[in-house]
Amino acid sequence: MALAVFIFFLAGGQYLKQPRGEMDNVPAYLAKVREDVMSESWDQAEIDCEKLESAWRMVIPRIQYSVERDDINSINRNLTRLKGWLMVKDKPNSMVELQEAEMFWNELGK
Amino acid sequence: MSLLNEALVVVVRGVIAFITLLIFTRVLGKQQLSQLTYFDYILGITIGSIAATMTTDLTARAWPQLVGLITWTGAVFVLQWITLKWRYASKYIDGEPTVVIMNGQIMEDVLKKMRFRVADLLEQLRTKGVFDLSEVEFAVLETNGQLSVLKKSQYQPVTANDLNLPTNYKGISSELIYDGVVVEQNLQQVNLDRPWLEAQLRKLGFNDPSEIFIASLNTNGDLYIDAYKDRVKNLTDISDYH
């Protein structure tokens, strides 16, 4: 019984990262920021990026036991750099960061 | 990730690794440390090392490490099962006891083959209380690295059987009080009860079982009692430092 709980806890990254509501829906916010960047709505992109970061912060406590710390740090880095690129309204680099963050997100817990 | 979160992850992973190891060691049975072969010893170190990595290496996911832990424990379990069921496998995996002294003669080639020095042999003999090689008839190096020694008959201690002396049965003693608490189950097993025990304690000057550190009853019916308050007047101090 104890082993089954441990296995779920340590191998359940894929399940645990799934959104529990609107507030922690990381993939949805990633998509929103991408749309904002594509349409060059920079102010909205910054607002959505804050929401994205807040959603990500809500997910971390759930997944921190089952995923690599380096993966968490990588997404943290992507989001920090993304904020910088949005500030200077740099479309290509913003897209690169979003793409990379999405790749890390998809690989998280696999 | 903050330092606090890192510490929390380490604590949680540590608790999981600790309980997992505890479960696995129970599964693997009660093989005593002194009976472990060299290979068992290495297996133990490997499993412990995986558990340690699982606790502190946050750069890797814990799941593959748990799988590693399960795999190694599973391998040990399978190995134990094979050696239990298949004697040839047991001989191959655990090795066989080797005679290193036969009829008083040291088997030099065997020692060389096993990379076992004469100094090691003498040391092991000394730990068995043998300081004179001429006393040894047979010495066998067991698979766990321990030396079993059979002394020549003229150097073996005389037993009651040699002298045709009658002896009484001697079994395992039962603990009746442990750390100030009466062990009711053991009392029942020896067909005695609490009033009897309390009467015995009163005879020896004790008012309550809570004054007793340990009390045990041997098969001859003798009660051994050790109280918390020691009554030794002149303590022997074996320490060289003050």
Side-chain angles (χ1 to χ4, degrees):
Chain A
M1 179 65 192
L3 277 179
V5 173
F6 294 161
I7 289 171
F8 171 74
F9 204 56
L10 300 182
Q14 275 282 79
Y15 170 75
L16 294 167
K17 75 176 184 184
Q18 299 306 321
R20 302 284 180 266
E22 277 293 302
M23 302 289 283
D24 64 347
N25 197 336
V26 173
Y29 284 120
L30 276 170
K32 264 187 189 171
V33 179
R34 183 182 290 111
E35 275 173 33
D36 297 336
V37 172
M38 289 299 281
S39 60
E40 299 189 5
S41 315
W42 300 110
D43 292 339
Q44 189 56 43
E46 283 189 54
I47 294 167
D48 287 335
C49 186
E50 288 297 329
K51 287 180 182 170
L52 169 63
E53 197 173 18
S54 154
W56 170 235
R57 298 262 168 240
M58 287 170 80
V59 174
I60 292 174
R62 291 206 301 265
I63 58 163
Q64 61 183 346
Y65 306 104
S66 46
V67 304
E68 282 178 39
R69 183 172 163 257
D70 287 354
D71 287 349
I72 293 177
N73 289 342
S74 298
I75 294 182
N76 282 342
R77 257 195 311 275
N78 286 137
L79 295 185
T80 308
R81 284 198 298 242
L82 176 65
K83 281 200 281 187
W85 295 127
L86 292 178
M87 243 183 264
V88 295
K89 301 177 176 45
D90 186 322
K91 193 174 175 181
N93 279 313
S94 297
M95 287 306 291
V96 168
E97 296 301 341
L98 278 167
Q99 206 61 30
E100 195 174 273
E102 194 172 355
M103 185 268 287
F104 280 127
W105 171 263
N106 290 334
E107 290 299 314
L108 212 58
K110 272 189 182 170
Chain B
M1 189 189 273
S2 72
L3 276 176
L4 193 66
N5 275 359
E6 265 183 11
L8 186 68
V9 175
V10 171
V11 168
V12 171
R13 280 189 178 200
V15 169
I16 290 176
F18 180 83
I19 298 173
T20 308
L21 270 188
L22 196 69
I23 294 169
F24 286 171
T25 39
R26 290 302 296 268
V27 168
L28 290 177
K30 291 190 173 178
Q31 200 170 24
Q32 295 297 309
L33 198 62
S34 60
Q35 293 171 347
L36 293 181
T37 62
Y38 187 54
F39 187 54
D40 292 329
Y41 179 65
I42 295 193
L43 287 176
I45 291 173
T46 310
I47 290 173
S49 166
I50 296 172
T53 310
M54 183 175 148
T55 306
T56 53
D57 185 5
L58 303 187
T59 58
R61 286 171 60 210
W63 169 238
Q65 290 166 21
L66 185 72
V67 172
L69 205 61
I70 293 169
T71 307
W72 275 83
T73 311
V76 175
F77 187 78
V78 168
L79 214 63
Q80 279 183 351
W81 190 82
I82 289 173
T83 52
L84 207 67
K85 298 280 174 193
W86 198 19
R87 202 156 164 261
Y88 283 109
S90 165
K91 280 185 179 179
Y92 183 75
I93 292 164
D94 294 338
E96 282 184 285
T98 315
V99 179
V100 285
I101 297 180
M102 192 186 282
N103 296 324
Q105 304 266 309
I106 298 174
M107 304 281 102
E108 293 83 3
D109 290 342
V110 173
L111 288 182
K112 205 172 165 184
K113 200 173 158 191
M114 297 177 68
R115 289 179 294 282
F116 201 71
R117 292 173 298 172
V118 181
D120 298 329
L121 179 65
L122 294 175
E123 187 182 320
Q124 290 247 29
L125 283 171
R126 284 196 298 275
T127 60
K128 297 283 173 189
V130 179
F131 289 81
D132 184 356
L133 270 171
S134 65
E135 291 179 11
V136 182
E137 186 75 66
F138 276 91
V140 180
L141 193 63
E142 305 291 353
T143 52
N144 61 9
Q146 295 287 314
L147 195 71
S148 300
V149 180
L150 178 70
K151 283 185 182 178
K152 287 178 179 163
S153 55
Q154 62 267 37
Y155 295 109
Q156 286 185 13
V158 178
T159 64
N161 192 38
D162 294 331
L163 301 172
N164 290 323
L165 291 173
T167 54
N168 292 327
Y169 170 76
K170 202 165 187 179
I172 301 165
S173 60
S174 304
E175 288 160 7
L176 303 184
I177 300 174
Y178 186 90
D179 209 4
V181 178
V182 176
V183 188
E184 299 285 353
Q185 194 186 332
N186 289 355
L187 256 179
Q188 281 171 14
Q189 271 179 4
V190 291
N191 296 320
L192 293 169
D193 53 18
R194 212 180 164 105
W196 173 86
L197 181 63
E198 284 170 356
Q200 296 295 316
L201 292 180
R202 274 197 298 277
K203 267 191 218 169
L204 293 163
F206 300 107
N207 298 318
D208 196 81
S210 63
E211 293 172 43
I212 309 300
F213 177 57
I214 192 158
S216 68
L217 186 76
N218 68 16
T219 43
N220 293 335
D222 303 324
L223 193 63
Y224 170 84
I225 289 184
D226 185 84
Y228 282 108
K229 202 174 175 184
D230 293 319
R231 294 169 182 178
V232 181
K233 282 182 183 153
N234 297 315
L235 278 172
T236 307
D237 188 357
I238 58 165
S239 171
D240 294 335
Y241 303 98
H242 290 285

